Amino acid sequence: MASGRIWIRGGRVLDPSTGRDEVADLLVEDGKIAAVGAGLAASGGEVLEAAGAWVVPGFIDLHVHLREPGQEYKEDIASGGRAAVAGGFSAVVCMANTQPANDDPSVTEYILDRARQESPARVYPVGAATRGLAGEVMTEMVALVDAGCVALSDDGKTIMDSGVMRRVFEYSQLARVAIITHAEDRTLVREGVVNEGPVSTRLGLPGNPSIAEVIHVARDLMLAELAGAHLHVAHVSTAGAVDLIRRARERGVHVTAEVTPHHLALTDEATLGYDTNTKMAPPLRSETDMRACRAGLADGTLDAIATDHAPHAVHEKDVEFTAAPPGVIGLETAVPVTLDLVRANELAPLEWVRRLSTNPARIIHRAGGSLAVGAAADIALVDPERRWIYDPAKGFSKSRNSPWAGREMIGCAIATLVGGVLVWDVERGVLLP
Amino acid sequence: MTGRDLLGIEGLDRTDLERILETAERMQEVGRRDVKKVPTLRGRTLINLFFEASTRTRTSFEIAGKRLSADVVNFTPSSSSLTKAESILDTAMTLDAMDPDAVIVRHKVAGVPKRIADALAAPVINAGDGAHEHPTQALLDCFTVKQEKGRFDGLTVTIIGDITHSRVARSNLYAFTKLGAEVRLAAPPTMLPTGIESLGAKAYTSLREALEGADVVMVLRIQQERLDGQPRRRDRARSRRPPPERDPRPGAQRRRGADGRPVSVRGALGEARGMRASGARSARQASEGDRARVGVVEEVRGEERDG
Ligand SMILES: [Zn+2]
């Protein structure tokens, strides 16, 4: 993507990669950051006035479901990419549970090809760890990574066979990428659809106990440690898992972890009205679990905020609670929802940015998360105060399954640049492609 | 109470419950007349929407509606929607087109009546949803106890059986607690749902302790398909038991192990079987059920008038 000059003037520049947190100007030239500093003299090119806004590295979402190929009625690479940049994300990491699954380099190439044509955001595919996400036969991991996959995961099709999982971890070292696990012991989850506890008892719905996550995280930490592999725990939701990850890291296990905006902001009490847009996997948990996730994010045990953007059509969600597919969309609401931690003084602005950009880039070994001179100009402008009402029907995702429909939001991405190109402007909409 | 709906006992307060029980008592008098009807709901339409078959409960609502002079329509969902995931909005729109004055919903999945109520203009009465609530059944049980005991304050009500899967247990727990009784739940740990005590009851795994000084005992049906790997002997013992869904036990006296030793849960459940109500009482409760449901239907309709 070629581009001319763009001056971003007078914003609060927050760059976790250098620790910079000051009001400054920023010059973008030829797709890269050419200069950062106070009082740069603008000459030529476009000017973005950023006074009052935060100028940050473009966000990277480690966990989205773009549904292409195969389920384009829910989302596709074009709509998901537009939702991403509208939410301040310059890049998304898309899960392998497409139809067909991304278990073969030909599928990876298809996704990347579509992304080049259709998506204003960068798209980094995750390859399947086992063929057809069946948890039995490993994929050709090296070939998948050579084709462009940045991590390997069967995500929601949790690999229950510990022997297979051990080999996946061992083999992953040839591919030199993280193994992402959706940690839920399915034999404990059984029919569970809401967090097991007083809320599931009041609702009369089958409970999904927190121990199902904790026991699986324990297993994966042990296997990753044994194999010396990099484990990335997806969407951590329980106090027990946060604790296990913290202790494993202390003893040197190569583990990273993410948490979703909904597990940081909502508890299982949100499910009391039987709204299927509060049905997720893992489920919304107790107040104690939510607090532990927030604390874990603050102390760095949880490295990243990732949305687990999981689009589902209205007709799929408009059914009995037990029959509805789990998951919610999150790309367009992650910024305001997680800014709540900054407003609550649980997370400094720089640390918030780190968990949305610098850390995700490190986990997938890709550039990004930096505003240093010479870095690719993937940039977001965030207005932390702007108030708006979220209406999923007016959003860019094809789906509307959000627990925040109709809610007032505080904060949003007012502009997003990818490779030095302005692709999102809150006044003008998505500009490219 | 969500607006004019009756979705569960959880959202009611004591005065709501007492008002409904008083209406049921008035209707008891109507039930003794030659013409067992009052004109309260003349020209109004009630829809019975039963996704889960229950002739007894459906008929009871039919009788209740007719006693209030309403037109009662039995709306049977298509057989496909009984097995497939049901579009709740489609259901609500179909019902809305029939312009009902109240809709009575029963569904095997918890929360469906609530979702239909959210989407529907007419008030919804929950006639049982999954393991959530069965408010009219609880009102019937309260009515029965009131007839027998004349009060709720100071009573101890013990509910025995698979609490985890029982909507009747939940609704009764709320109802009796709100009315001033103490509620005890007795079951093996695998049949006591997590956090049940946060709803105001005391949970027991010892039946002997749960029955100690109980004034009312209820025995819940245990469904074989819900045992989920629990011991087979217990499974067999239960499968021989007759299948009434619920069984309020007014007048039960202090229960102790005959030899003073702790009674095992399995043995005690067997003992409870011996305390089962007679057929005559079941029949009487069925007609009391009509009255309790008359109270509910009139309550909902009254709310509609006020709102
Ligand atoms: Zn997942």
Side-chain angles (χ1 to χ4, degrees):
Chain A
M1 291 185 213
S3 75
R5 285 183 163 189
I6 298 179
W7 299 87
I8 301 172
R9 280 210 312 216
R12 178 178 174 184
V13 176
L14 290 158
D15 180 6
S17 77
T18 59
R20 184 192 292 269
D21 179 358
E22 62 182 5
V23 173
D25 302 329
L26 197 143
L27 172 63
V28 173
E29 207 165 24
D30 296 329
K32 291 189 162 56
I33 293 165
V36 189
L40 296 182
S43 61
E46 195 173 349
V47 176
L48 292 179
E49 292 296 347
W54 296 354
V55 180
V56 304
F59 298 142
I60 301 169
D61 191 339
L62 286 176
H63 198 137
V64 305
H65 298 270
L66 294 181
R67 306 298 190 206
E68 185 178 355
Q71 293 181 308
E72 290 85 352
Y73 67 96
K74 298 179 193 236
E75 195 78 286
D76 59 25
I77 287 166
S79 63
R82 291 155 75 88
V85 296
F89 292 94
S90 55
V92 293
V93 176
C94 62
M95 283 295 155
N97 64 334
T98 45
Q99 292 174 359
N102 184 18
D103 62 358
D104 186 274
S106 62
V107 180
T108 310
E109 282 156 14
Y110 173 85
I111 292 167
L112 290 171
D113 200 46
R114 296 289 296 155
R116 270 189 292 275
Q117 294 168 34
E118 301 280 349
S119 172
R122 299 180 197 273
V123 173
Y124 297 124
V126 171
T130 67
R131 289 217 313 247
L133 307 171
E136 290 162 6
V137 181
M138 283 193 296
T139 52
E140 294 179 24
M141 296 182 180
V142 176
L144 283 166
V145 170
D146 286 347
C149 289
V150 298
L152 297 162
S153 180
D154 283 3
D155 192 26
K157 306 279 270 182
T158 309
I159 298 171
M160 285 304 299
D161 185 318
S162 300
V164 171
M165 197 65 202
R166 175 186 177 180
R167 289 197 296 280
V168 165
F169 276 125
E170 286 172 346
Y171 201 83
S172 73
Q173 292 181 84
L174 289 181
R176 296 171 183 276
V177 293
I179 298 298
I180 303 175
T181 60
H182 174 126
E184 279 194 302
D185 185 323
R186 280 186 274 147
T187 67
L188 284 163
V189 173
R190 299 178 94 79
E191 305 298 314
V193 287
V194 284
N195 183 44
E196 182 183 293
V199 169
S200 63
T201 294
R202 279 171 73 187
L203 289 169
L205 287 170
N208 173 343
S210 58
I211 190 72
E213 173 172 297
V214 180
I215 206 166
H216 208 86
V217 168
R219 185 203 75 168
D220 285 349
L221 284 167
M222 287 173 160
L223 291 174
E225 184 172 22
L226 179 71
H230 176 188
L231 163 65
H232 178 76
V233 185
H235 40 58
V236 171
S237 70
T238 60
V242 174
D243 188 49
L244 284 176
I245 292 164
R246 185 181 289 123
R247 285 192 276 152
R249 184 165 307 155
E250 277 166 13
R251 68 172 190 271
V253 179
H254 189 184
V255 57
T256 53
E258 72 193 30
V259 59
T260 70
H262 46 268
H263 289 112
L264 292 168
L266 301 174
T267 67
D268 51 4
E269 304 247 330
T271 308
L272 284 172
Y274 296 98
D275 180 356
T276 54
N277 291 326
T278 63
K279 179 177 176 181
M280 353 289 206
L284 296 173
R285 300 286 187 187
S286 70
E287 176 86 20
T288 307
D289 290 311
M290 186 189 76
R291 294 271 152 222
C293 288
R294 292 171 76 109
L297 188 72
D299 73 17
T301 301
L302 307 181
D303 304 79
I305 296 166
T307 65
D308 195 5
H309 178 83
H312 294 292
V314 169
H315 74 266
E316 294 171 305
K317 279 288 198 179
D318 173 38
V319 294
E320 303 94 306
F321 200 91
T322 48
V328 293
I329 56 172
L331 284 167
E332 293 169 79
T333 49
V335 163
V337 169
T338 59
L339 269 174
D340 182 59
L341 279 86
V342 178
R343 285 190 289 268
N345 287 319
E346 291 174 49
L347 209 53
L350 199 63
E351 294 309 305
W352 177 71
V353 175
R354 188 189 308 277
R355 282 152 188 71
L356 279 162
S357 61
T358 316
N359 284 353
R362 172 172 55 80
I363 289 164
I364 56 168
H365 310 291
R366 283 296 182 276
S370 173
L371 296 177
V373 170
D378 289 6
I379 302 169
L381 269 60
V382 172
D383 180 343
E385 310 287 346
R386 190 181 178 111
R387 287 169 184 266
W388 55 291
I389 307 287
Y390 175 54
D391 177 2
K394 294 192 177 126
F396 291 93
S397 172
K398 284 188 180 181
S399 290
R400 302 175 185 188
N401 51 312
S402 168
W404 287 289
R407 297 269 204 98
E408 190 188 40
M409 298 276 143
I410 307 174
C412 76
I414 55 173
T416 305
L417 285 77
V418 176
V421 178
L422 183 66
V423 291
W424 162 250
D425 177 331
V426 72
E427 307 301 338
R428 289 186 283 166
V430 174
L431 304 171
L432 271 176
Chain B
M1 208 179 258
T2 313
R4 304 156 295 164
D5 305 313
L6 178 65
L7 299 172
I9 304 289
E10 189 184 6
L12 303 183
D13 58 29
R14 183 173 184 152
T15 51
D16 293 328
L17 292 169
E18 285 171 346
R19 194 171 55 246
I20 295 169
L21 292 175
E22 275 162 27
T23 308
E25 260 166 353
R26 272 194 281 114
M27 289 311 295
Q28 190 171 34
E29 185 270 317
V30 173
R32 293 195 196 101
R33 295 182 195 163
D34 288 344
V35 181
K36 296 179 172 56
K37 266 193 176 189
V38 292
T40 317
L41 293 186
R42 183 164 293 145
R44 305 293 184 111
T45 306
L46 303 182
I47 296 179
N48 268 330
L49 178 64
F50 277 54
F51 292 92
E52 185 184 61
S54 168
T55 310
R56 195 181 60 182
T57 305
R58 201 198 64 216
T59 309
S60 181
F61 271 108
E62 247 181 284
I63 293 168
K66 282 173 180 163
R67 291 225 166 135
L68 293 166
S69 306
D71 299 318
V72 181
V73 179
N74 287 320
F75 183 76
T76 310
S78 68
S79 57
S80 67
S81 69
L82 286 170
T83 48
K84 276 193 351 216
E86 178 73 9
S87 165
I88 292 179
L89 283 174
D90 284 356
T91 304
M93 273 155 62
T94 309
L95 290 170
D96 235 0
M98 299 166 78
D99 194 25
D101 294 286
V103 179
I104 296 139
V105 182
R106 186 185 184 99
H107 201 288
K108 68 177 189 301
V109 179
V112 171
K114 157 80 173 136
R115 297 298 307 283
I116 289 176
D118 288 344
L120 196 67
V124 169
I125 297 169
N126 180 4
D129 63 329
H132 175 226
E133 284 226 44
H134 194 348
T136 61
Q137 187 64 54
L139 288 164
L140 156 60
D141 293 339
C142 290
F143 186 79
T144 306
V145 168
K146 195 176 178 203
Q147 297 281 298
E148 294 282 336
K149 296 280 180 184
R151 67 185 167 98
F152 297 101
D153 281 310
L155 291 185
T156 296
V157 179
T158 298
I159 306 173
I160 303 164
D162 183 357
I163 310 298
T164 300
H165 294 104
S166 175
R167 54 195 176 210
V168 175
R170 283 169 180 75
S171 287
N172 269 311
L173 184 171
Y174 293 128
F176 282 105
T177 307
K178 285 169 195 284
L179 287 165
E182 177 197 322
V183 175
R184 299 175 183 172
L185 306 171
T190 46
M191 293 182 181
L192 286 168
T194 319
I196 188 71
E197 292 200 328
S198 69
L199 306 191
K202 206 157 163 18
Y204 293 78
T205 50
S206 157
L207 191 59
R208 184 185 59 79
E209 288 170 24
L211 293 174
E212 176 99 30
D215 302 287
V216 178
V217 179
M218 288 181 206
V219 182
L220 303 167
R221 177 177 57 170
I222 290 166
Q223 288 166 283
Q224 278 212 71
E225 66 271 23
R226 298 245 160 94
L227 284 171
D228 192 23
Q230 292 179 54
R232 287 185 57 82
R233 272 178 64 196
R234 183 175 291 155
D235 186 340
R236 277 204 306 278
R238 283 173 181 151
S239 67
R240 285 197 303 271
R241 291 169 48 211
E245 185 172 0
R246 36 135 314 280
D247 185 10
R249 293 288 309 150
Q253 297 306 305
R254 300 171 78 83
R255 312 293 307 183
R256 287 201 187 83
D259 51 3
R261 289 188 305 131
V263 178
S264 77
V265 169
R266 185 161 59 88
L269 280 171
E271 186 188 345
R273 177 177 40 161
M275 309 180 329
R276 189 149 297 281
S278 69
R281 181 184 293 282
S282 296
R284 204 179 82 208
Q285 282 171 346
S287 72
E288 282 162 358
D290 305 341
R291 280 171 215 126
R293 290 189 174 98
V294 167
V296 169
V297 169
E298 203 188 300
E299 170 78 10
V300 167
R301 171 258 170 207
E303 292 274 331
E304 184 191 8
R305 185 183 49 196
D306 297 342

